[in-house]
């Protein structure tokens, strides 16, 4: 995927100021929420060039999220700083092998994809860290496992020994009211507990984007996926 010609150039000073403000807001939200969790800032650089990754890294942000495998691979070839790459978008099963290039796959949204990821990781002789994507809001436009299917799937995932289920990921409805956002985030937190009760480590909770990350942190998010608030609009 080519980087859009309409994206504004990255200004390192602006990114530095944005990261500093975001970190302050995350700290405040963490204190208000009272969950005591560490929070990882994942800089979402989709449609931006390698300069966005470099600018984030210069501010101490070492985790970078990409939505599409092809764009991520192109960027990986040009980025020299040692960031951890997160795959945060929907992944097709026929690209499961490429997922092995990422430190964490956030979007494991079905059992069929889980099997494909396991098979590729097993062939490579390694263990792949994954998050189970859950569709708490029930929106048809969103991928993810339905909450009522999580308990049974959690048990079956034990058979996929090349996967390490680190927690859950969810996306809240766009521009929803605070009450609904909190309901979705709390629901994801409860599903993480379901995974833990089934014997998975599942310590992580990936939720919250530029418009709702403070609420997500208040509700226990350990990973927030931020793009626009760090780098500006993509169009």
């Amino acid at each position: 995927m080519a980087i859009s010609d309409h994206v504004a150039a990255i200004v390192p000073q602006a990114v530095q100021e944005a990261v500093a403000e975001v970190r302050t807001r995350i700290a405040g939200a963490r204190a208000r929420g009272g969950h005591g969790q560490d929070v990882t800032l994942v800089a979402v650089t989709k449609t931006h060039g390698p300069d966005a990754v470099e600018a984030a890294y210069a501010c101490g942000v070492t985790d970078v999220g990409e939505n599409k495998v092809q764009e991520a691979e192109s960027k990986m070839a040009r980025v020299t700083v040692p960031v951890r790459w997160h795959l945060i978008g929907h992944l097709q099963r026929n690209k499961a092998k490429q997922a092995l290039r990422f430190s964490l796959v956030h979007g494991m949204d079905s059992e069929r994809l889980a099997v494909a990821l396991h098979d590729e990781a097993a062939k490579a002789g390694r263990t792949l860290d994954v998050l189970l994507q859950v569709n708490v809001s029930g929106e048809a436009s969103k991928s993810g496992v339905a909450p009522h299917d999580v308990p049974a799937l959690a048990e079956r995932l034990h058979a996929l020994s090349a996967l390490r289920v680190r927690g859950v990921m969810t996306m809240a409805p766009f521009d929803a009211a605070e009450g609904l956002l909190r309901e979705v985030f709390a629901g994801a937190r409860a599903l993480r507990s379901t995974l833990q009760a089934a014997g998975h480590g599942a310590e992580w909770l990936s939720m919250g984007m530029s418009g709702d990350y403070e609420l997500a942190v208040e509700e226990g998010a350990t990973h927030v996926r931020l793009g626009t608030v760090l780098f500006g609009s993509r169009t």
Side-chain angles (χ1 to χ4, degrees), residues 2 19 29 78 103 150 152:
V19 168
R78 294 182 287 161
S103 296
V150 171

Side-chain angles (χ1 to χ4, degrees), residues 121-182:
K123 282 192 288 186
R126 57 164 290 191
T127 301
L128 179 66
D129 284 344
V130 297
L131 300 178
L132 181 64
Q133 183 174 347
V134 293
N135 187 356
V136 180
S137 67
E139 292 177 278
S141 61
K142 286 185 169 57
S143 300
V145 177
H148 61 81
D149 290 330
V150 171
L153 178 56
E155 297 295 339
R156 295 195 296 274
L157 287 173
H158 283 297
L160 305 180
S161 58
L163 298 183
R164 184 161 46 215
V165 182
R166 304 302 300 267
V168 306
M169 183 270 262
T170 201
M171 291 185 288
F174 183 69
D175 279 347
E178 178 178 333
L180 179 56
L181 290 172
R182 289 192 183 278

Side-chain angles (χ1 to χ4, degrees), residues 93 96-97 100 115-127 162:
R93 283 182 294 131
K97 184 175 182 179
L100 301 183
V115 170
L117 290 169
H118 165 269
D119 291 348
E120 292 296 343
K123 282 192 288 186
R126 57 164 290 191
T127 301

Side-chain angles (χ1 to χ4, degrees), residues 35 106 131-138 145-148 150 165-173 179-197 202-208 215-217 219-223 225:
H35 293 280
H106 291 234
L131 300 178
L132 181 64
Q133 183 174 347
V134 293
N135 187 356
V136 180
S137 67
V145 177
H148 61 81
V150 171
V165 182
R166 304 302 300 267
V168 306
M169 183 270 262
T170 201
M171 291 185 288
L180 179 56
L181 290 172
R182 289 192 183 278
E183 182 179 329
V184 169
F185 295 147
R189 190 175 69 243
L191 292 171
R192 180 185 61 175
S193 296
T194 299
L195 290 177
Q196 292 171 339
E203 64 268 47
W204 293 340
L205 190 52
S206 172
M207 58 188 192
L215 288 177
V217 172
E219 293 295 334
T222 65
H223 292 67
R225 311 178 303 269

